[in-house]
Amino acid sequence: MSIFYGLSAFLITPTDEGGRVDTHALATLLRRLEEAGVDSIGLLGSTGTYAYLTRVERRRAIEAAAGCVGGRVPLVVGVGALRTDDAQDLARDAQAAGADGLLLAPVSYTPLTDEEVFQHFAAVAAAVDLPLCIYNNPGTTHFSFSDDLLARLAGVYGIAAVKNPAPAPSEAPAAVEALRMLLPAGCAVGYSGDWHAAQAVLAGGVAWYSVIGGLLPRPSLALMRAAQAGDAAEVRRLNTTFEPLWDLFKQHGSLRVVYAAANLLGLTDAQPPRPILPLGAAERGRLARALSALEA
Amino acid sequence: MSIFYGLSAFLITPTDEGGRVDTHALATLLRRLEEAGVDSIGLLGSTGTYAYLTRVERRRAIEAAAGCVGGRVPLVVGVGALRTDDAQDLARDAQAAGADGLLLAPVSYTPLTDEEVFQHFAAVAAAVDLPLCIYNNPGTTHFSFSDDLLARLAGVYGIAAVKNPAPAPSEAPAAVEALRMLLPAGCAVGYSGDWHAAQAVLAGGVAWYSVIGGLLPRPSLALMRAAQAGDAAEVRRLNTTFEPLWDLFKQHGSLRVVYAAANLLGLTDAQPPRPILPLGAAERGRLARALSALEA
């Protein structure tokens, strides 16, 4: 079974104000995920603020995570960077520190062409012996992969999976089918964007790269298992219980919301890296009610 | 006279493949700008690939530039970074290394709110004693400043100028006037986006933050002086000679084009940082013809 299947739980990386990783708080979060039985852990994804951390701190986080859950829960590690040589170094670091797979986003400042992204991914894949998942997240990278570019990249040795933004539910069956037809059979197509991801799995996606799964693994696993079982009615029913949380995600961005939720649940006092600001007091009240409804 | 007036010439930062600054090639480019008589030098802007360079290399570039033209041509230095504390450190470095003014872009990965950008800018402005220009470049930062946010920021001590994308010529008079009405009289409103910038100056803008000015300062100065003199016919005539170059800028991004132009002019062999690829051979031919036309 590939590491790019099932519920991949993406967690925050707790740090101090200066960006130094709190490995103790990280271990608390990781143990919670292991105990719940998530299928993999997404370390240093967008939710894990990889873009805001130094190479040294990223390596410290991977080593701490491997020491905590390594060998028991697959570790998928984000290695995105603006420069190709930096992304290669981060990929080598991740492999040396105990990652089981890599996640690579085409981080950009100068807008990139398809050919530039292709060569960037091929160079990173060639630098290591780990399977790599293409992280297509136009909302943060401002690069959008066409299905054709994904298909071209899926032919590169080492590239084993795609993490796409989940399409609107009405479009999911056609979109998932169209992409799977273009990709080799072994390439695992998964989805992020928590509020539509379960429907994308119902439509044939094999993984949910989940922000809320990194904080509330049990209800997230219930939703994912229903989707994997093809139980559309149960997916609808469970999705309804998440609805107040999805509304907060859409309004404030999932990152600000999961930091506040981790604070409210007493898991860590860490705040997102500045300039990103914590959720305001009124929204924390809304969030507390959304979390209670989910746990009920 | 403020440093945020006139033609600000933004140059590339020549480096080796690993991102180490070639201070000799940088000095060659800087002397060319000083001899032509540009009003200021834009170091480590988007064209100067600041986002791709380490803190150490950014400081080396500023020290080299200050050693070369310091005290004679004002040095405006880009200090953008994803993290607020990093941007503050870069601002302090720039001041210590000899910058005369700062340029700050709201670099983002997680999309930022207006309040986050406001606090980020206020924190950087408070960290130094240099005047700061707000760098509004949605094409690279994916954050777009409203006129109201610019007005709020212009009230912060130290924030002295705005670098806005030049509007379409037909909209420039109304857009420039509307913004100037909202800002304090001392706040200098300048424009980037080479192909529309001279018209924005005709419409009342006081600075052109120019990519081509960093490579071809003499024809750029001719265009800017015509705009400053209010000579619309001469602006039109000179803009026509730049047209083949503007077409290449629009098609391939100005960064790829000015690197290739610097190579063609024999100024440096440096290439843009990977993943950004050099211009292809056919486009280099087109570029050579565009440069010849301009020099004729």
Side-chain angles (χ1 to χ4, degrees), chain A residues 17-19 46 50-52 82-85 109-111 115-116 119-120 139-140 142 255-256 273-277, chain B residues 17-19 46 50-52 82-85 109-111 115-116 119-120 139-140 142 255-256 273-277:
Chain A
E17 278 190 10
S46 294
Y50 74 92
Y52 298 84
L82 277 176
R83 292 181 63 97
T84 300
D85 50 9
Y109 180 81
T110 300
E115 182 61 24
E116 287 168 346
Q119 292 198 24
H120 181 70
T140 56
H142 308 289
L255 184 70
R256 296 176 189 85
R274 295 286 172 116
I276 304 163
L277 293 172
Chain B
E17 279 189 12
S46 294
Y50 74 92
Y52 299 84
L82 277 176
R83 292 181 63 98
T84 300
D85 50 9
Y109 181 81
T110 299
E115 182 61 24
E116 287 167 344
Q119 292 198 23
H120 181 71
T140 56
H142 308 288
L255 184 70
R256 295 176 190 86
R274 295 286 172 117
I276 304 163
L277 292 173

Side-chain angles (χ1 to χ4, degrees), chain A:
Chain A
M1 189 79 160
S2 155
I3 58 170
F4 298 119
Y5 282 74
L7 181 77
S8 190
F10 279 69
L11 73 168
I12 62 170
T13 309
T15 68
D16 67 14
E17 278 190 10
R20 187 169 164 83
V21 175
D22 178 348
T23 53
H24 180 77
L26 183 64
T28 302
L29 293 168
L30 287 164
R31 275 192 293 268
R32 195 175 149 86
L33 302 180
E34 182 184 11
E35 283 162 17
V38 301
D39 298 308
S40 69
I41 281 165
L43 191 73
L44 298 171
S46 294
T47 300
T49 63
Y50 74 92
Y52 298 84
L53 300 178
T54 64
R55 180 178 175 185
V56 168
E57 292 303 317
R58 288 166 76 163
R59 178 146 184 164
R60 282 187 65 237
I62 305 165
E63 286 169 349
C68 186
V69 298
R72 295 192 304 276
V73 190
L75 266 182
V76 177
V77 175
V79 295
L82 277 176
R83 292 181 63 97
T84 300
D85 50 9
D86 286 344
Q88 289 177 308
D89 284 340
L90 290 161
R92 291 185 196 103
D93 285 358
Q95 176 165 324
D100 298 295
L102 305 180
L103 188 69
L104 181 64
V107 186
S108 73
Y109 180 81
T110 300
L112 298 175
T113 66
D114 278 12
E115 182 61 24
E116 287 168 346
V117 169
F118 178 82
Q119 292 198 24
H120 181 70
F121 274 67
V124 175
V128 287
D129 299 314
L130 290 177
L132 188 150
C133 175
I134 300 167
Y135 183 9
N136 183 15
N137 188 358
T140 56
T141 65
H142 308 289
F143 181 85
S144 195
F145 286 86
S146 66
D147 283 2
D148 286 340
L149 179 57
L150 291 173
R152 191 179 163 211
L153 279 166
V156 172
Y157 181 78
I159 296 184
V162 173
K163 171 183 184 295
N164 248 358
S170 61
E171 292 160 21
V176 176
E177 172 69 8
L179 180 56
R180 295 188 66 159
M181 292 287 287
L182 282 174
L183 298 181
C187 186
V189 176
Y191 290 92
S192 58
D194 281 357
W195 50 91
H196 286 335
Q199 283 99 334
V201 170
L202 274 178
V206 299
W208 173 18
Y209 297 95
S210 175
V211 175
I212 196 61
L215 191 77
L216 300 176
R218 288 182 200 280
S220 305
L221 276 165
L223 179 55
M224 181 59 175
R225 297 300 180 235
Q228 289 173 307
D231 188 342
E234 182 68 356
V235 165
R236 264 196 307 278
R237 189 186 72 76
L238 290 171
N239 238 333
T240 305
T241 65
F242 279 99
E243 209 59 58
L245 201 60
W246 300 160
D247 288 343
L248 283 159
F249 275 23
K250 290 177 204 170
Q251 195 175 346
H252 297 288
S254 58
L255 184 70
R256 296 176 189 85
V257 177
V258 286
Y259 266 93
N263 299 159
L264 283 168
L265 295 174
L267 297 168
T268 170
D269 293 330
Q271 299 300 320
R274 295 286 172 116
I276 304 163
L277 293 172
L279 220 56
E283 297 306 78
R284 286 182 179 243
R286 258 181 83 190
L287 173 59
R289 290 189 293 280
L291 293 174
S292 306
L294 257 176
E295 283 165 359

